[in-house]
């Protein structure tokens, strides 16, 4: 089980990313637009840098929904490998069976 403070920090980051997503996309569109002048693009880059660091989506980390484990998380289920194994053996994950050959 991950520390509660780390899980809460990740939730806070998710909220910040959602809050600033539109503004970040708007500024990034200006930076990527080559028809704009160099000064306009430079100003947009400076404004992106002024946004909170945790509002960047690259700082998000996938965590297990049950335990908060940051590594070995499957995107499809949102669970860590160990929890998927436990739930699959109990038959609680639809479409997942133990392989044998």
């Amino acid at each position: 089980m991950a520390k509660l403070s780390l899980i809460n920090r990740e939730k806070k980051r998710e909220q910040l990313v959602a809050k600033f997503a539109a503004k970040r996309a708007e500024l990034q569109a200006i930076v990527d637009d080559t028809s704009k002048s160099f000064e306009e693009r430079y100003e947009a880059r400076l404004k992106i840098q002024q946004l909170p660091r945790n509002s960047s989506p690259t700082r998000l980390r996938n965590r297990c929904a049950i335990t908060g484990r940051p590594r070995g998380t499957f995107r499809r289920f949102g669970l860590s490998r160990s929890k998927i194994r436990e739930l699959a053996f109990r038959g609680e994950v639809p479409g997942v069976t133990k392989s044998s050959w």
Side-chain angles (χ1 to χ4, degrees), residues 9 11 17 20-21 30 48 58-59 64 69:
R9 185 186 306 166
K11 288 179 183 175
V17 168
F20 288 99
I30 294 171
I48 287 176
T58 58
R59 291 178 66 93
C64 176
R69 180 181 165 86

Side-chain angles (χ1 to χ4, degrees), residues 46-66:
L46 289 178
K47 287 180 182 176
I48 287 176
Q49 291 175 359
Q50 295 299 315
L51 294 177
R53 183 176 282 178
N54 282 333
S55 69
S56 174
T58 58
R59 291 178 66 93
L60 290 177
R61 179 80 184 191
N62 291 335
R63 289 186 174 269
C64 176
I66 298 173

Side-chain angles (χ1 to χ4, degrees), residues 9-19 60:
R9 185 186 306 166
E10 194 65 32
K11 288 179 183 175
K12 198 175 191 180
R13 282 186 184 141
E14 289 173 3
Q15 291 171 352
L16 271 176
V17 168
K19 180 179 177 182
L60 290 177

Side-chain angles (χ1 to χ4, degrees), residues 66-83:
I66 298 173
T67 62
R69 180 181 165 86
R71 295 178 182 224
T73 304
F74 286 69
R75 290 182 189 171
R76 182 175 179 184
F77 303 108
L79 300 172
S80 66
R81 55 185 175 77
S82 57
K83 285 298 170 184

